[in-house]
Amino acid sequence: MKRLAFAVCSALLLTACQDLGQVDNGTDALDLPDVADGTISEETMKRVTERLSSDEFEGRAPGTAGEEKTVAYLIEEFEKAGLTPGNNGSWVQDVPLVEITGRDYAPLTISGGEDGDMQLAYSTDWVGVTYREDAETALENSELVFVGYGVNAPEKGWNDYDGVDMAGKTAVILVNDPDYGTETLEGPFNGKAMTYYGRWTYKYEEAARQGAAGAIIIHDTEPASYGWNVVESSWSGPQAYASRGDNPPPMTQVNGWVQKEKAREILAAAGQDLDELMAAAREKDFAAVPLGLTASTSFSNDIRTFASQNVIGILPGSERADEYVMHTAHWDHLGRCTPAPDGDDICNGAVDNATGTAALVALAEAHAKAGPAKRSLVFLAVTAEESGLLGADYYAANPVFPLNRTVGGINMDAFLMAGTAKDVTVVGPGKSQLDLFLDKALMNDDRVTTPNPNPEAGYYYRSDHFSFAKRGVPMLYLDGGEDLVEGGTEAGAAVAADYRENRYHGPKDEYDPNWDWSGVMSDLALFYRIGRMLADSTSWPNWNEGDEFKGTRDEDCALEGAGCAPA
């Protein structure tokens, strides 16, 4: 079939456009096929969103009766939409979870300074947890080493751990990236736009790979994009993790945070100045600094294990059924929570994320009605996103469909009912060749792409698609537009602020029969086209040169049996 010449090209990515829908971004030409629009049911969106967010489902918390009802309902809806079971004849993938609750915290004691021991009080000065399933945790006289931003990025020639043996020691780490203070998006770590290396998850993982016994991040409100109150509340109380099985990856004994001014005192006790070290850590030739101090603390852990479930459906492909296009959304929410003034204590999660889960059903229904695509379309409703992307991370670590035969995917998380927009917000623009599929899908819409207005916050690394991205699978994450047809950017900002301040993660995130679904349906039409294009294409989109995930994808594609292997 002759393809439409692709004339609208992303300024971030494209270096040349060719006829017949072939786009050359400086590497291999991409096949961007024309696809027909799907028939996406607004009634399905309304019906599924309303049901999932009803009090009957008790806020959809994993490990509760609400989960049982949610999983049963999603299986019913996936089957009704035309999907078949996606996990070797089963609709579900069991996700073993571990909940660890620390208690009886000793102070964090810093020893070795001329003025004697420093004792940091838990919660007010520092917080910490363990990822290990141990009843008791003890960090004893662990040497402190300041490792700058704690980055080991071979593709950038940057290694903050170069020349230092971290075995048994505790890494003291700065939050965000070395160039977070830049006003532009230019720099070794994308300037003000946070990369994966800036996320606290990466910093703990890398410290563990280096053999560290502990990892403590210095909290700083601006580069973290949240205050100490968020750290204190998020890192105290029960912490849920995906079970790591019999051969877990390396783990530190303690991962934690320390208040910036307390960190300044610690470094002063070592004869160091925090501001000078922060400036030095921004340079490529930075060398880790042993502090001549030790850290000690201890606490007990209550451990609970339970199983939750991901729900998986598939539409098998007609020609290349062993190549997969992923659609993800999380079905879980917070369950019962702090009551509203009227006594309502069910966090229904209508927007977050009954809407995204309903979108899985509606898109599956539309694709099934259109008939099989050439590649298989997978619809994955994951658990425990609110606990740290646990369901998505478990699937990506234990994939039903091999990741190097997974072409890429789309993640859907919380559709705001703002009405139609002139734009679509791209969270993490310029990362992969999926942006070219987005550009093509927008050709017939009177809409433009808008980069995430807060790139320094690193939102690309905070939803379920990230679990796939960090393992090399290109994933697209889009939000509704900021520039509304009625009211412009001011109205868009007001809708987002109202939701954030009055309903987000609270009991009033409830279904409203008066919602304006027009903007959501416009976004779903776009998601349908992108998914169908990926499924009908012959190309394997990759990460762009210099992206932190490209090396992982290239290594995975070099393995035997990889669908994404270079031709």
Side-chain angles (χ1 to χ4, degrees), residues 200-260:
W200 56 263
T201 49
Y202 166 80
K203 295 176 189 293
Y204 293 143
E205 291 165 2
E206 186 59 42
R209 285 190 287 267
Q210 296 290 334
I216 297 177
I217 296 174
I218 299 172
H219 175 263
D220 193 351
T221 297
E222 182 181 354
S225 78
Y226 41 78
W228 180 257
N229 62 311
V230 175
V231 175
E232 183 180 4
S233 62
S234 299
W235 289 77
S236 57
Q239 305 287 311
Y241 310 103
S243 178
R244 289 162 173 85
D246 296 331
N247 296 297
M251 288 179 281
T252 57
Q253 291 171 259
V254 176
N255 289 325
W257 294 75
V258 63
Q259 286 263 35
K260 183 179 181 180

Side-chain angles (χ1 to χ4, degrees), residues 496-562:
D498 176 68
Y499 175 72
R500 184 174 59 250
E501 294 166 10
N502 298 312
R503 282 176 284 285
Y504 175 66
H505 279 201
K508 297 309 171 186
D509 184 1
E510 298 179 308
Y511 181 82
D512 184 344
N514 296 315
W515 273 341
D516 177 358
W517 286 84
S518 59
V520 173
M521 300 312 296
S522 179
D523 289 342
L524 290 181
L526 182 61
F527 295 158
Y528 176 91
R529 290 182 213 129
I530 296 168
R532 200 73 179 186
M533 286 168 61
L534 285 168
D536 282 346
S537 176
T538 57
S539 294
W540 287 84
N542 202 342
W543 302 95
N544 293 326
E545 290 296 335
D547 191 85
E548 65 263 47
F549 304 129
K550 189 174 189 303
T552 301
R553 183 63 161 184
D554 290 346
E555 289 177 9
D556 211 19
C557 290
L559 299 176
E560 184 177 354

Side-chain angles (χ1 to χ4, degrees), residues 86 219 338 372 389 403 482 494 503 527:
H219 175 263
T338 302
L389 319 182
L403 298 187
E482 298 270 319
R503 282 176 284 285
F527 295 158

